[in-house]
Structure formats: structure tokens, C-alpha cells
Amino acid sequence: MNVLSRTETLSLLSLSAACIGVISNTFQGDGEPLIASLAFSGIAYAFSFCLIRWLGDTFIRAGLKGKDMSKARKPEIPETMGAVCAVVYLLVIMVFIPFPFYKDIVAATSGGGNRDVVMELREVETGRFLHRFPHSKLASYLSAILSLQSAVILGIGDDLLDIRWRHKFFIPAFAAIPILIVYFVDFGVTQVVVPLPLQKYLGELFDLGWLYYAYMAAVAIFCPNSINILAGINGIEVSQSIVIATLLILNDAIYLIPLTRYPHPATDSHLFSLYLLLPFLGVSIALWQHNWYPAKVFVGDTYCYFAGMVFAVVGILGHFSKTLLLLFIPQIFNFIYSAPQLFRLVPCPRHRLPHYNARTNLMEPSRMWYRVPPPKLISIGLKLLYRLNLLHIEVNPKGEIIECSNFTLLNLWLVWFGPMREDKLAAGVLIAQMACGLLGLLVRHRLALLVFREDNLMV
């Protein structure tokens, strides 16, 4: 799989050449950072596609490989390929740093070959010029890179050392420290708007104080882990990330549409979000082409940490973390549904991926077996879930539970709709992800007006 076809080579070369041309042309104007970001995304896609193809055998020789248990022959394929995409992404957003600040850099260098750019300058006693460089924006961008680098390093460590869940669950919180510090120094808002029915008790704004930072740290913990939990079949991790990124880009685009003569106050925040999301979409699409059924590579835990931290960074520094959570509805449901196993109320096997039936070539709900019947209270809860069609159970002649399906959204989907091929299962869950995300955006920008005075889109 390490050789590119002639068509692939020509296509990637053409894409790269076109993107380089676009980037070069942006310097003829005012930098045009959004256009440059699109071009860098194309380059990120091309480099990721090539490196995934070229490094596959190298990863296998290094022992970074795994068996695809959902195939009849159980082939060994490269693992941890998400690390390749993460490294390409980090390099691209580093190279991109000058573009959002091009006008400011031009002013700082007294024109820098583009003296028609006029900005307000203030002369100081030293004879130098003190321009209004947006240090806060640069600090946000650099802190985002630092947090993403930390998440990638932690993810690679997890892939190499196979850290247990109870040890790695809180790791993303450490990676989020740089963005939380920048948020505190640069923005520092910890007040939330109170819904209309509660305003007579709490006022229009309620200050959460340090609890708001705890909430943002929880977002940083939840996003990577939620993607990692909703996994186990070809293409599901990267596909759900692509869907969420696409919905976030749609949300950003809504704020950038010129509805009035003046730009929206949140324009800079949503441009910042786009600068991080567009290259992410580029590398993720390249990975998806190799990870979709039948998978040629595995993404590894590194990609889950990386993708989740990208979403956490744009949500926190873009000041729309609550909107972000509305796009994670399936992940939130999966986490709540998985809680009985995650918190050991019922047995939790090491892997809970759906079971592959080699005779039918279909995926079926994986199950856990009880050697000893569960306690009475647990049995009542399991039987209630069974009656609500949220679980499959088997009982012995005495009515005691002897097995039940694992508590994951993928297994629940198979309980609802029956055995199906792996790609059909992934496609069904992704359609649900897209539908829930669009519903979340509708709730955010329309139905929220039922309990809040106004939507900040109309500010």
C-alpha cells in the first residue's frame, strides 16, 4: 500500500501546486488569511495522504500494527496513523502563523514592501514606532498550538504504552492548561446569561467564578475521551470528527455572513476557529480515505486526543463551548449510556466493540456474561433497560440474567436495527450524528430565543 498510483500522484501534485499558487498570490493583497488557510488545508491533505501511504510499512516494522478483528482473515494493518496527520497539522498551522497578522507585521516593518497599507502608528521617544499589534490574538493562537502539541504527545504515549482508562481519563486537562491561562489573562469572563424564567431570582447574568474554569477543563477532558469511547469499527472515529468539524465550520460561516454594514463582534473568534478547523478537515479527510471500510490503517488513540483537543480549543478560545456541546449529542448520550460499565456497576470488558460474525459477515451486539447472577437492584435496572429496548439480555430458566449486550451506542444501534455490515453501521451512526448536530444548531440559534432574550448572532 506504500505506492501512489499515477492518477493519485498527478492529482496531489496538481492540488499542491494550485494551493502554493494561491498562497503566493495572497501576498499581493492584504494577506487574505482565510483564503490562505483554505490553501494550506489543501496542502495538509496532500501531505497527509502521501505520508500515510508511504509510512505504512515503516509503522508495521516498528511494531505499530494491529489486527482488524472485524474481518474474516483478520489482517494486520498499520496503527497510530493519526499521529502522522497530527504532526502534519501542527506543522501547517505553525507555518500559517504570519498570515492572520500580515497587516500588523507590515505596519511593524514600516511598510515591509507594501507601504500602501495605512495603520495608526504612535511615535515614541526612542524613534521607533509602537503599533497596535494584536498580542492577545497571537497569544491565543500560540496557546492553541501548545495545547494541541501536548495532546498529541500524550496520545502517542497512550498508543505506545497502552495506558489504562482510569489513568488517562484526566490527561487532556493538563494539555488544556495553556488555553485556560490565556483565557484567564485575555478574556476572563466567567458570567453566564440566565434564562428568562430564572432572571427574577438570579439576575440577567450569574458569575460562576472558578467553576467556569472547571467547566472548561471538563470540556477539554470530555471531547477527546468521548471520541475515543465511540470507537471500534472502521472509520467511525475520523468520520464523527469530520462531521463535527463540518458543523462547526457551518456555525462559523453563519457569523461571517455580512448581515449588516458592520462586522459581527464575534467575527475574529470565528475566524480563529476556521483557521484551526480547515487544516484539521484536510488531514482528517486524507486519513478517512485510508480508514473507511475496509480499513487500510488504524487511527490510534493519538487521533482521538488530537481531534477532541482541536474541538475543545476552538470552543474555549472561540467562546462558544456551549454550542460545541450541542454538536456532541451522540457522544454525550454514548457516555451516559456507557456509565454503568465505565463506573463498574456492571462488568466492563477491555474492548466493547461489536462482535463480528464470520459466517454472515455482519456485525452483532457484543455481550458480557455473568458467571454469577448480578445483584437484585442491578438486575431490576437491566431488565428495565431491556423493556425500554435499550439493551439485549438473556436469562436462564430461573429468570436470572446470564448475559447482556455491552453499553455502547454502536451495540445499541445493532440492538435496534439488527445485524448489519460494518460500513452500514458506521454510516447509520454518522447520519444520526449529522442530524443531531443540525438540530443542535437549530436549538442554538432559533429555539434558544424561547428562554433567552436574544441570540448573539443578532448582536
Side-chain angles (χ1 to χ4, degrees), residues 205-222:
L205 297 174
F206 184 77
D207 190 4
L208 293 175
W210 66 269
L211 289 175
Y212 196 82
Y213 292 94
Y215 155 73
M216 290 189 290
V219 170
I221 293 172
F222 173 77

mmCIF file of all heavy atoms in Angstrom, residues 205-222:
data_model
loop_
_atom_site.group_PDB
_atom_site.id
_atom_site.type_symbol
_atom_site.label_atom_id
_atom_site.label_comp_id
_atom_site.label_asym_id
_atom_site.label_seq_id
_atom_site.Cartn_x
_atom_site.Cartn_y
_atom_site.Cartn_z
ATOM 1 N N LEU A 205 -27.286 38.131 34.584
ATOM 2 C CA LEU A 205 -26.006 37.433 34.494
ATOM 3 C C LEU A 205 -25.689 36.783 35.837
ATOM 4 O O LEU A 205 -25.997 37.341 36.899
ATOM 5 C CB LEU A 205 -24.887 38.399 34.108
ATOM 6 C CG LEU A 205 -24.994 39.073 32.738
ATOM 7 C CD1 LEU A 205 -23.883 40.100 32.568
ATOM 8 C CD2 LEU A 205 -24.937 38.045 31.614
ATOM 9 N N PHE A 206 -25.061 35.609 35.780
ATOM 10 C CA PHE A 206 -24.673 34.912 37.003
ATOM 11 C C PHE A 206 -23.193 34.546 36.889
ATOM 12 O O PHE A 206 -22.771 33.935 35.905
ATOM 13 C CB PHE A 206 -25.509 33.645 37.196
ATOM 14 C CG PHE A 206 -25.228 32.930 38.491
ATOM 15 C CD1 PHE A 206 -25.737 33.416 39.686
ATOM 16 C CD2 PHE A 206 -24.432 31.801 38.513
ATOM 17 C CE1 PHE A 206 -25.475 32.762 40.881
ATOM 18 C CE2 PHE A 206 -24.161 31.137 39.690
ATOM 19 C CZ PHE A 206 -24.694 31.625 40.888
ATOM 20 N N ASP A 207 -22.421 34.948 37.872
ATOM 21 C CA ASP A 207 -20.974 34.727 37.848
ATOM 22 C C ASP A 207 -20.645 33.371 38.471
ATOM 23 O O ASP A 207 -20.892 33.140 39.655
ATOM 24 C CB ASP A 207 -20.268 35.850 38.613
ATOM 25 C CG ASP A 207 -18.750 35.811 38.419
ATOM 26 O OD1 ASP A 207 -18.282 34.957 37.629
ATOM 27 O OD2 ASP A 207 -18.059 36.623 39.031
ATOM 28 N N LEU A 208 -20.079 32.490 37.661
ATOM 29 C CA LEU A 208 -19.707 31.156 38.141
ATOM 30 C C LEU A 208 -18.323 31.129 38.785
ATOM 31 O O LEU A 208 -17.971 30.165 39.462
ATOM 32 C CB LEU A 208 -19.747 30.155 36.983
ATOM 33 C CG LEU A 208 -21.121 29.857 36.387
ATOM 34 C CD1 LEU A 208 -20.978 28.942 35.183
ATOM 35 C CD2 LEU A 208 -22.032 29.219 37.421
ATOM 36 N N GLY A 209 -17.516 32.176 38.521
ATOM 37 C CA GLY A 209 -16.183 32.220 39.117
ATOM 38 C C GLY A 209 -15.308 31.067 38.671
ATOM 39 O O GLY A 209 -15.255 30.711 37.483
ATOM 40 N N TRP A 210 -14.624 30.442 39.630
ATOM 41 C CA TRP A 210 -13.698 29.347 39.299
ATOM 42 C C TRP A 210 -14.429 28.131 38.732
ATOM 43 O O TRP A 210 -13.818 27.318 38.036
ATOM 44 C CB TRP A 210 -12.907 28.943 40.539
ATOM 45 C CG TRP A 210 -13.749 28.343 41.628
ATOM 46 C CD1 TRP A 210 -14.354 28.996 42.649
ATOM 47 C CD2 TRP A 210 -14.079 26.955 41.785
ATOM 48 N NE1 TRP A 210 -15.059 28.115 43.437
ATOM 49 C CE2 TRP A 210 -14.896 26.851 42.940
ATOM 50 C CE3 TRP A 210 -13.768 25.793 41.080
ATOM 51 C CZ2 TRP A 210 -15.403 25.644 43.385
ATOM 52 C CZ3 TRP A 210 -14.266 24.579 41.527
ATOM 53 C CH2 TRP A 210 -15.073 24.514 42.670
ATOM 54 N N LEU A 211 -15.725 28.005 38.989
ATOM 55 C CA LEU A 211 -16.477 26.875 38.442
ATOM 56 C C LEU A 211 -16.506 26.915 36.911
ATOM 57 O O LEU A 211 -16.600 25.871 36.266
ATOM 58 C CB LEU A 211 -17.911 26.869 38.987
ATOM 59 C CG LEU A 211 -18.077 26.492 40.461
ATOM 60 C CD1 LEU A 211 -19.530 26.654 40.881
ATOM 61 C CD2 LEU A 211 -17.604 25.065 40.688
ATOM 62 N N TYR A 212 -16.417 28.132 36.345
ATOM 63 C CA TYR A 212 -16.414 28.228 34.883
ATOM 64 C C TYR A 212 -15.145 27.615 34.315
ATOM 65 O O TYR A 212 -15.175 26.966 33.264
ATOM 66 C CB TYR A 212 -16.544 29.694 34.453
ATOM 67 C CG TYR A 212 -16.926 29.843 32.998
ATOM 68 C CD1 TYR A 212 -18.246 29.726 32.592
ATOM 69 C CD2 TYR A 212 -15.960 30.084 32.021
ATOM 70 C CE1 TYR A 212 -18.605 29.854 31.261
ATOM 71 C CE2 TYR A 212 -16.303 30.204 30.680
ATOM 72 C CZ TYR A 212 -17.625 30.097 30.314
ATOM 73 O OH TYR A 212 -17.976 30.200 28.995
ATOM 74 N N TYR A 213 -14.018 27.797 35.008
ATOM 75 C CA TYR A 213 -12.768 27.187 34.551
ATOM 76 C C TYR A 213 -12.807 25.669 34.737
ATOM 77 O O TYR A 213 -12.259 24.919 33.918
ATOM 78 C CB TYR A 213 -11.581 27.799 35.296
ATOM 79 C CG TYR A 213 -11.360 29.250 34.926
ATOM 80 C CD1 TYR A 213 -11.920 30.274 35.675
ATOM 81 C CD2 TYR A 213 -10.624 29.590 33.794
ATOM 82 C CE1 TYR A 213 -11.748 31.600 35.325
ATOM 83 C CE2 TYR A 213 -10.444 30.909 33.430
ATOM 84 C CZ TYR A 213 -11.013 31.911 34.193
ATOM 85 O OH TYR A 213 -10.843 33.220 33.827
ATOM 86 N N ALA A 214 -13.450 25.227 35.804
ATOM 87 C CA ALA A 214 -13.636 23.781 35.984
ATOM 88 C C ALA A 214 -14.488 23.212 34.859
ATOM 89 O O ALA A 214 -14.227 22.111 34.347
ATOM 90 C CB ALA A 214 -14.278 23.499 37.340
ATOM 91 N N TYR A 215 -15.514 23.986 34.466
ATOM 92 C CA TYR A 215 -16.367 23.563 33.347
ATOM 93 C C TYR A 215 -15.557 23.455 32.047
ATOM 94 O O TYR A 215 -15.681 22.469 31.310
ATOM 95 C CB TYR A 215 -17.521 24.550 33.182
ATOM 96 C CG TYR A 215 -18.103 24.611 31.785
ATOM 97 C CD1 TYR A 215 -18.904 23.580 31.286
ATOM 98 C CD2 TYR A 215 -17.849 25.705 30.954
ATOM 99 C CE1 TYR A 215 -19.431 23.641 30.008
ATOM 100 C CE2 TYR A 215 -18.377 25.768 29.679
ATOM 101 C CZ TYR A 215 -19.157 24.735 29.208
ATOM 102 O OH TYR A 215 -19.672 24.790 27.936
ATOM 103 N N MET A 216 -14.707 24.453 31.766
ATOM 104 C CA MET A 216 -13.906 24.411 30.538
ATOM 105 C C MET A 216 -12.891 23.271 30.576
ATOM 106 O O MET A 216 -12.633 22.626 29.552
ATOM 107 C CB MET A 216 -13.221 25.754 30.314
ATOM 108 C CG MET A 216 -14.173 26.873 29.937
ATOM 109 S SD MET A 216 -13.346 28.390 29.423
ATOM 110 C CE MET A 216 -12.657 28.925 30.996
ATOM 111 N N ALA A 217 -12.325 23.007 31.749
ATOM 112 C CA ALA A 217 -11.429 21.857 31.875
ATOM 113 C C ALA A 217 -12.189 20.559 31.621
ATOM 114 O O ALA A 217 -11.661 19.626 30.989
ATOM 115 C CB ALA A 217 -10.791 21.838 33.259
ATOM 116 N N ALA A 218 -13.435 20.496 32.104
ATOM 117 C CA ALA A 218 -14.265 19.309 31.861
ATOM 118 C C ALA A 218 -14.548 19.139 30.369
ATOM 119 O O ALA A 218 -14.579 18.012 29.858
ATOM 120 C CB ALA A 218 -15.571 19.414 32.642
ATOM 121 N N VAL A 219 -14.764 20.262 29.659
ATOM 122 C CA VAL A 219 -14.952 20.189 28.202
ATOM 123 C C VAL A 219 -13.711 19.614 27.537
ATOM 124 O O VAL A 219 -13.794 18.757 26.643
ATOM 125 C CB VAL A 219 -15.282 21.588 27.630
ATOM 126 C CG1 VAL A 219 -15.233 21.570 26.101
ATOM 127 C CG2 VAL A 219 -16.649 22.046 28.103
ATOM 128 N N ALA A 220 -12.528 20.071 27.982
ATOM 129 C CA ALA A 220 -11.274 19.571 27.415
ATOM 130 C C ALA A 220 -11.067 18.083 27.712
ATOM 131 O O ALA A 220 -10.455 17.366 26.913
ATOM 132 C CB ALA A 220 -10.096 20.382 27.961
ATOM 133 N N ILE A 221 -11.561 17.620 28.848
ATOM 134 C CA ILE A 221 -11.467 16.194 29.174
ATOM 135 C C ILE A 221 -12.471 15.393 28.361
ATOM 136 O O ILE A 221 -12.163 14.318 27.832
ATOM 137 C CB ILE A 221 -11.707 15.974 30.682
ATOM 138 C CG1 ILE A 221 -10.559 16.577 31.503
ATOM 139 C CG2 ILE A 221 -11.852 14.482 31.000
ATOM 140 C CD1 ILE A 221 -10.829 16.569 32.993
ATOM 141 N N PHE A 222 -13.686 15.930 28.246
ATOM 142 C CA PHE A 222 -14.769 15.182 27.609
ATOM 143 C C PHE A 222 -14.556 14.990 26.110
ATOM 144 O O PHE A 222 -14.769 13.882 25.588
ATOM 145 C CB PHE A 222 -16.099 15.888 27.855
ATOM 146 C CG PHE A 222 -17.249 15.286 27.108
ATOM 147 C CD1 PHE A 222 -17.827 14.108 27.545
ATOM 148 C CD2 PHE A 222 -17.741 15.876 25.947
ATOM 149 C CE1 PHE A 222 -18.880 13.528 26.853
ATOM 150 C CE2 PHE A 222 -18.794 15.315 25.251
ATOM 151 C CZ PHE A 222 -19.366 14.135 25.700
#
